[in-house]
Amino acid sequence: MMVAVLPMTSGKAVPGGVCRVGGAGTLIVMAEPFLDMTPEEFRRRGYAMVDWVADYLEKVDDLPVQSGMAPGQIRDLLPDQAPENPEDFEAIAADLDRIVVPGLTNWTSPGWFAFFPSSNSGPGILGELAAAGLGQQGMMWATSPVCTELENVMMDWMVDLLGLPAWWKTAGPGGGVMQQTASDASHVAMVVARERARRGGADISRCAAYTSTQANSAIEKGLRVAGYGFIRLVEVDGVYAMRADALSEAVGRDRAAGLVPTFVCTTVGTTATTAVDPVRAVGELAKEEGMWHHVDAAFAGNAMICEEYRHHQDGLELADSYSVNPYKWMPMTFDGSLFYVADRAPMIQALSILPPFLRNEASESGRVIDYRDWHVALGRRFRSLKLWFVLRYYGAEAIRARIRANTAWAADLAARVEEDPRLEMAAPAPFSLVCFRHRAGNEATDSLAAAVNRSGHSYLTTSRIDGRSFLRVAIAQANTRKEHVDRLWRLIDETAQAV
Ligand code: PLP
């Protein structure tokens, strides 16, 4: 029961009850503890919050991409202890501008060329809002039939859109699930591979795993977490792709030493330079050796929505698992990595534990998918909702057009670099990442990057291979337009002269 007792503009504690500021400045006292906003208040605050987010998105290009805050400065703005008494929502929301915005790294900025982007879009944000509002826990079909079945269908749609093997669909022996990140996806593959080896009689303390020196650090980290004692970083060729012959030699050496080659990860589009490992050659070796082959296509896998890029993943029909992150290049809001397996049986065998409190009729009928058996966590968010919104709002053709535009702008930037006597390309640019360096060496290259980042309107990151620094310009943020790439180039051009 709620009772409006007195006019008020700010919330106060009331003995024996919980109070809230209601409409027209009245203080609402709840006779019993009732901790949610009223629907009327939620509606009012919600409209205001959507306005606030829309204003942020509108002005994000004018904000510095990197935060100007020093370490500890944000902590100093926050109280040491949680409040005992309610606060006005206005005061809470006002702290977004006072504390949160100054501490942001603006990943949504169109001047974002760093790492790979973490995308954002209106339909993606609204899908997240709806998912939060619905409060679903999709750990099993029975705990949210729609969370499970919408995800089944989204994962199947993406099989067709990305040209993946048809048997990775829900109706086949394989299937797909949305993991939180690519790190989680590859980690599941590693654990399933290890368990498959154990069930096959292998001594898991002898399991060996392979990836290239250019694989994302998430792969080596996942292997450590999964308990692989022998992790081999295989050499790469002149364009930074894994050497299949070096892999074959490493596997041979390990077999001879009594180890059990168990898992190999190739990358389609490495983080440093978007190099593409030889998926088919590694897949054939993995089949011969009985190794699990995971393909990490976190960023570049998005390009496969355009048929002309699919030759980069030739041999995928030999892979055991695959992951791609739509939030890195499609306009889907973080998080959500699409993870596919060619055969779901070993994964479910490895990850399914059924305590009595999770038993239910639907699961026992064998007619439903329980995604809790497809990843490490039990609870899971309703991630497919935002992917559904994004795919329907834009349509595949618009997403293809954007990926093609990004790669065309990258080719244009690469051509400018190649024509410039001060600069040189550091690696080929098969997608929309352009890697180049200053010919004067590491110091000149690093100071060029620092000058770009000091501008405030553009942000890029550097990397190093074999001790040589280079700039990475990742053109994939959903808000970036050609004019932003041109603005970046003008800055590089002006700054490179001064180096
Ligand atoms: N794999 C590749 C090729 C990546 O580029 C990245 C991140 O950029 C990852 C894995 C890790 O991604 P996540 O943050 O989704 O775990």
Side-chain angles (χ1 to χ4, degrees):
M1 183 178 43
M2 296 185 299
V3 195
V5 287
L6 66 152
M8 210 49 213
T9 50
S10 62
K12 289 266 163 18
V14 173
V18 173
C19 72
R20 279 270 145 233
V21 177
T26 51
L27 180 69
I28 297 176
V29 180
M30 318 292 185
E32 291 168 32
F34 172 71
L35 289 175
D36 206 356
M37 280 180 176
T38 60
E40 184 277 322
E41 185 186 358
F42 179 77
R43 198 181 310 278
R44 194 160 46 86
R45 306 290 188 203
Y47 288 151
M49 188 55 67
V50 168
D51 279 343
W52 186 87
V53 174
D55 288 347
Y56 166 75
L57 294 174
E58 206 172 17
K59 70 179 179 207
V60 69
D61 189 21
D62 300 327
L63 298 174
V65 188
Q66 286 179 286
S67 165
M69 299 297 251
Q73 217 178 334
I74 299 162
R75 274 202 308 273
D76 289 345
L77 294 174
L78 294 163
D80 289 338
Q81 275 160 356
E84 283 295 332
N85 296 317
E87 295 182 43
D88 264 355
F89 194 81
E90 267 91 5
I92 301 170
D95 279 348
L96 283 172
D97 287 315
R98 191 175 68 93
I99 300 175
V100 175
V101 171
L104 292 175
T105 301
N106 287 298
W107 285 74
T108 297
S109 168
W112 184 274
F113 301 104
F115 307 105
F116 289 126
S118 182
S119 282
N120 215 353
S121 68
I125 298 167
L126 294 176
E128 279 284 10
L129 177 64
L134 296 170
Q136 295 295 283
Q137 255 292 355
M139 54 196 179
M140 297 185 291
W141 183 91
T143 61
S144 181
V146 70
C147 182
T148 304
E149 294 193 13
L150 184 64
E151 191 160 326
N152 295 161
V153 175
M154 287 309 100
M155 295 303 290
D156 289 354
W157 282 9
M158 293 304 290
V159 166
D160 289 333
L161 286 177
L162 301 176
L164 305 175
W167 60 93
W168 292 6
K169 286 190 180 178
T170 311
V177 62
M178 291 181 83
Q179 305 274 356
Q180 185 181 355
T181 62
S183 309
D184 298 288
S186 54
H187 183 63
V188 166
M190 294 160 192
V191 170
V192 176
R194 189 201 63 205
E195 277 305 286
R196 189 178 69 164
R198 190 181 64 80
R199 285 171 191 269
D203 169 1
I204 60 167
S205 71
R206 315 283 303 157
C207 284
Y210 308 82
T211 193
S212 93
T213 55
Q214 293 302 309
N216 190 275
S217 53
I219 304 302
E220 188 178 346
K221 182 177 182 178
L223 289 167
R224 286 196 212 169
V225 177
Y228 284 82
F230 301 89
I231 302 169
R232 312 297 191 204
L233 300 183
V234 177
E235 285 163 46
V236 291
D237 62 17
V239 289
Y240 310 118
M242 182 193 278
R243 275 181 41 204
D245 61 325
L247 172 68
S248 176
E249 281 163 25
V251 168
R253 267 195 309 273
D254 284 344
R255 280 243 183 262
L259 300 182
V260 187
T262 303
F263 176 88
V264 59
C265 175
T266 51
T267 311
V268 173
T270 57
T271 311
T273 65
T274 56
V276 177
D277 289 343
V279 173
R280 178 171 295 283
V282 172
E284 284 165 358
L285 183 72
K287 284 270 175 266
E288 278 164 31
E289 295 287 342
M291 291 190 286
W292 184 285
H293 177 201
H294 177 71
V295 179
D296 174 9
F299 171 71
N302 290 285
M304 308 307 158
I305 195 168
C306 306
E307 274 197 61
E308 66 269 29
Y309 291 104
R310 293 196 188 148
H311 64 277
H312 288 297
Q313 57 183 22
D314 171 57
L316 217 52
E317 73 280 6
L318 300 172
D320 294 290
S321 56
Y322 179 88
S323 60
V324 52
N325 292 3
Y327 62 79
K328 286 203 196 298
W329 202 359
M330 289 191 191
M332 189 190 84
T333 306
F334 181 80
D335 58 357
S337 181
L338 312 185
F339 176 61
Y340 291 97
V341 285
D343 179 7
R344 58 184 180 250
M347 177 176 63
I348 292 171
Q349 221 172 25
L351 300 182
S352 183
I353 298 173
L354 186 60
F357 55 82
L358 292 180
R359 296 194 95 96
N360 67 84
E361 212 176 295
S363 299
E364 273 155 34
S365 75
R367 293 174 52 227
V368 301
I369 282 185
D370 288 332
Y371 276 133
R372 72 185 177 92
D373 298 333
W374 295 50
H375 47 61
V376 175
L378 175 60
R380 64 195 325 271
R381 296 176 353 89
F382 195 175
R383 295 192 180 96
S384 58
L385 202 54
K386 64 186 167 193
L387 182 56
W388 192 40
F389 276 28
V390 162
L391 292 176
R392 293 175 65 187
Y393 182 81
Y394 294 105
E397 206 38 51
I399 298 174
R400 282 187 200 106
R402 210 184 115 251
I403 283 180
R404 288 185 177 125
N406 286 173
T407 51
W409 302 340
D412 184 56
L413 178 64
R416 290 178 186 188
V417 167
E418 272 162 357
E419 280 164 18
D420 193 312
R422 300 161 300 177
L423 306 172
E424 65 182 10
M425 291 291 283
F431 303 101
S432 67
L433 175 74
V434 185
C435 299
F436 57 97
R437 60 169 69 93
H438 200 292
R439 286 181 190 272
N442 285 354
E443 210 176 301
T445 301
D446 292 344
S447 51
L448 189 52
V452 168
N453 293 343
R454 266 197 311 274
S455 76
H457 62 62
S458 298
Y459 179 38
L460 49 77
T461 38
T462 57
S463 190
R464 268 186 192 213
I465 300 182
D466 298 332
R468 298 187 75 194
S469 242
F470 57 92
L471 283 73
R472 297 171 69 263
V473 177
I475 304 173
Q477 218 296 332
N479 297 322
T480 301
R481 294 189 302 276
K482 178 77 164 66
E483 70 200 56
H484 300 109
V485 184
D486 291 342
R487 182 177 69 180
L488 172 71
W489 171 253
R490 279 196 302 278
L491 184 60
I492 290 169
D493 187 26
E494 285 157 17
T495 320
Q497 280 168 6
V499 166

